[in-house]
Each structure stands twice: as structure tokens, then as C-alpha cells.
Amino acid sequence: MATVALSIGNLDAGTPDLPSLHLGLIHHLSTGNLDAGAPDLMSPEMVLLYEPWPFRPLIGASDTLETLSEVMPSYTKEQRLGLRKAPRQNPRYTSKLDPAEFSQARDFARRRAGTQVCVPIWWEGTRLAGNVSAADTEISIDTTAGDWREGGRLIVWQSADNYALALITAVEVDSVTLLAPIGADFTTPTVVPVRVARTVEGFSISRGKLVIEVTARFQVEDNVKLEGDAGYPQYQSIDVLTEPTARVSDISENIIQAGEYQDNGFGLVMLERQREYVDYGQSIAFLELGAAAVWRRRVWVHARNGKQKPFWLPTFNSDMKLMAPIGAADTVVTIKRAALPAGYLGRHVMIELKNGTRYFRQIVDAARVGDTDQVTLNTSLGAAVSASQILWFSYLSKVRLDVDAVTFNFPASGRGPLVATLSVPVMEVPA
């Protein structure tokens, strides 16, 4: 079967007739493997190259991943369902434009508002150290920190009025192969993967005395669920988050007993508990530096599938203070008194050493001995540990995201190293 690529052609003729799109055929036809015979041109596999939004958001951008999940709580536990195959990607760009660029952007908005367009995902792109020639059908680029797809699209971008779109036919870790020659020469351009999207909220324009800002949110249509391993250690086959929350925003916690309060107005207010456990919510935040770190966090967020998939979250607090060394075969650990004995039972803990070694265990028994507490772990550590070696001796909570939408904020997506921040609420679930 042949592959036919379509491009926008020349749109100077005016507003396109959307029922019959004004699209021109690229001259190149790829027939694939001709050993199977001549291509069937009556039913080609067509891929559209829509007009791109070419203005790079140098002053910042954001990207919201929207999943759809449902939580069904009971008195003792909860069941969680993921209802969407892949998160919906929603990049939001604000671009500062000069008068000439604004005229170009306004023309684009009038023609393309609500229609399908190509949107570069700028934080997954790379600026090349070398040049791209018109005859090139392969571009050397690191594809390990971006969503580069076989059968997808890319843009080779030098400026808002000097760029080229292309179809990708093969992806390797260090290169992409194009369907046809790129068709133009570029000097140290930026190569960026492209998604197909619509501007569901249109374009917002702010005209100042010196600069003009145009903002648009694009709802991506060719969404896929990212696969991969974020590299976290596992405890009971669940990821353990190993970075303390970044102080990019205020950190809040909330503990409440879910219940129905009954007040007849005359006597005591009665509480009918809806769950046997308390709702413990908190917020966590991340500060990611560099494309690889941002990509790792995106893969991890995709794996959470909204509220569905749990993970272990340490308190990153010295919840327990070791009062005596732990032997390699010991299961009883002596700590400074920190809670009632019943408060330890069933809790999960992380012992992290200063050399990076981590132990994850569960407390199965506790007793008060003098002015100390002795907690019994489910298994020994297998190595001797002293108090001076310990960085954290903290509780572990099994939590899930408490929202379906997670937003990555890019404060300066066009200058310097890539930086992303995100803050998200989480809720503890029965372990």
C-alpha cells in the first residue's frame, strides 16, 4: 500500500473550504516494499501535515495531562478504575510577538480556530549543533527524551517564517528517518516532534504598548500512553518515590475522618463514620532539570493513570530515632518513644542510609520497654546498621494522585536548560 503525504500548500488564496480541504499533494510517494507487487493507489494510507503554529513560547508554557479515573470507596478499602486509554495532552503556549508576527498570528487564528493544526511540543525538541540540508532524509538526534513516533510528524524550525514539516518513517535512539527529503536548508535548527491538535478555546490576545502576547491552549488528538520505567525502587511491586518534595510551592497536609454528621439542633452532633480509616491528603511537588528528567517524570505520571495506580511515599522525616545498633539478623529495633504501641502496628517504614542504601519493611509488633519502644520488623535487614549511618528512618504511606489532571509548568521553555515544575495533591489509600 502506498503512503501519500499531504501538506497545506499555499493558503494565500484565503480561508480554506473545510468540507473539501485545500491541501496539496507532496510529490513523493513511498511504496514501501515493492516485492509484494505494485502499490494500490486507489486506497492509499494518507497522513496529513496540517498547518503548524510556528511561534515558539519563549516566555514560558505549560502542558496538562488529563486522565479519566473513578474511585469507588467502601468502609475498609477502595477500588479504582482507569477509564481512558491514554491521557489527553493539552499544551498551552504564550508567545510574545512583534507587530509583523502578530499580523501573521492573527491571520492564522482567523483561519484555523477550531480546526486541526500541527503543534510542536517544544520541550521535547533539540537544537542541532550542525545544519540540515534540503536533500536530507535522516536527521541525527537523541530520541530517548521525547515522544518520537514512527508514522508521526516533526518540524525542523529555524524561525517563525522558516521551517519545514516532515513525516517520520523510522525512529532510532540517535536518529529519525523521513518519508521524503526535508526540502530546504537550515542552519543549526531546532527539531521538534509534532502533535495534531485543535484550539478548543480559541486564541487570546493581549496588546501592550511594546509587545503583543498571544495565548492558545491546544487539545491534542493523537494521544498515546507512554510506556517505560521511571527507575524507582519497588516495594511490594509498587514504586517508592525517593525524592523529597521540591519546595516550589507551599506544602500542605490534611487529615480528616470521612463521615456524616447528624445534628437535630437540640443535643449532641452525632458522627456516622463512612470509612474505618482517615483520609490523609497532602501535596507533593517536583522540580525537574533537563530533558531527560522531564521525560522521566512524564513517563511516571502516565504510569499513574490518574487516580488509579498507587505508589509509596516516604514522609522524609526522622519519624523514628534509633537508640541501639541493628544487627544483620535482628528483627527487633529499639527506637526513641514516638507513638503508642498500637500506633506502630501495620505501618510501613523506610530506612535510608547516607550511602543511598534503602530498606523497606513493615512493623508487625511493638512494645514499650522503659523509656524506649521496641518495634518488630517483618524481616531482618541483612546488614548491620548504626544510628550514624541513617539519613531517614521514616514512615511509608501508600498513596495515589487525587486529581486526574497534572500540569507541567515550563517557566522559560526557550532559553537555557529545560526546567519543569509540577505540584499535585495525593491521597493515602489503605495499605
Side-chain angles (χ1 to χ4, degrees), residues 34-320:
L34 291 180
D35 292 341
D40 181 6
L41 296 180
M42 297 301 295
S43 56
E45 178 185 345
M46 294 186 293
V47 180
L48 297 178
L49 286 175
Y50 299 98
E51 186 177 6
W53 175 250
F55 303 102
R56 186 167 187 170
L58 298 179
I59 60 173
S62 67
D63 193 14
T64 300
L65 301 177
E66 294 180 349
T67 54
L68 182 62
S69 56
E70 183 177 357
V71 178
M72 297 175 289
S74 68
Y75 188 71
T76 58
K77 59 184 67 176
E78 67 181 27
Q79 183 178 2
R80 301 175 297 276
L81 298 177
L83 304 177
R84 188 174 289 164
K85 291 182 178 180
R88 290 177 179 172
Q89 185 176 5
N90 294 265
R92 180 185 292 272
Y93 297 150
T94 297
S95 302
K96 285 187 176 182
L97 308 178
D98 60 29
E101 292 172 328
F102 171 60
S103 180
Q104 181 184 351
R106 184 171 52 185
D107 174 68
F108 181 100
R110 292 173 64 89
R111 291 185 290 100
R112 306 302 298 181
T115 69
Q116 290 174 307
V117 298
C118 279
V119 180
I121 307 300
W122 293 104
W123 41 85
E124 295 180 7
T126 300
R127 183 169 184 179
L128 301 183
N131 301 331
V132 173
S133 300
D136 287 348
T137 58
E138 182 176 304
I139 300 176
S140 296
I141 189 172
D142 181 5
T143 64
T144 59
D147 186 10
W148 302 89
R149 306 177 190 172
E150 182 177 333
R153 306 157 178 84
L154 62 77
I155 187 170
V156 179
W157 186 92
Q158 191 163 319
S159 67
D161 55 5
N162 186 16
Y163 58 85
L165 287 169
L167 300 177
I168 302 173
T169 58
V171 177
E172 303 295 339
V173 295
D174 58 355
S175 67
V176 291
T177 302
L178 310 180
L179 173 66
I182 195 64
D185 296 326
F186 297 94
T187 302
T188 61
T190 301
V191 182
V192 189
V194 166
R195 303 277 83 86
V196 174
R198 296 178 188 268
T199 53
V200 293
E201 298 173 354
F203 296 83
S204 176
I205 300 170
S206 175
R207 301 182 66 176
K209 292 183 178 179
L210 300 178
V211 297
I212 304 168
E213 294 185 359
V214 178
T215 300
R217 180 176 73 86
F218 300 90
Q219 188 171 88
V220 172
E221 297 185 345
D222 51 345
N223 297 290
V224 297
K225 184 175 181 179
L226 301 179
E227 303 292 342
D229 183 6
Y232 283 108
Q234 300 271 303
Y235 174 51
Q236 296 183 349
S237 300
I238 298 174
D239 283 354
V240 181
L241 201 65
T242 53
E243 307 100 333
T245 187
R247 300 303 176 101
V248 297
S249 62
D250 291 338
I251 299 173
S252 61
E253 298 186 14
N254 185 47
I255 303 174
I256 190 172
Q257 173 63 62
E260 181 178 343
Y261 289 86
Q262 301 175 350
D263 183 6
N264 59 15
F266 299 101
L268 296 176
V269 177
M270 306 301 295
L271 169 65
E272 182 177 340
R273 296 176 61 176
Q274 294 178 336
R275 290 187 278 278
E276 70 171 3
Y277 55 92
V278 297
D279 289 333
Y280 177 28
Q282 54 186 308
S283 62
I284 59 174
F286 303 95
L287 174 63
E288 306 295 354
L289 303 176
V294 174
W295 178 252
R296 174 176 178 258
R297 185 61 54 203
R298 291 178 70 84
V299 169
W300 183 82
V301 170
H302 273 246
R304 304 282 67 78
N305 202 19
K307 303 173 186 176
Q308 185 184 22
K309 299 295 184 180
F311 59 97
W312 292 104
L313 179 64
T315 62
F316 297 107
N317 182 59
S318 299
D319 296 313
M320 286 159 278

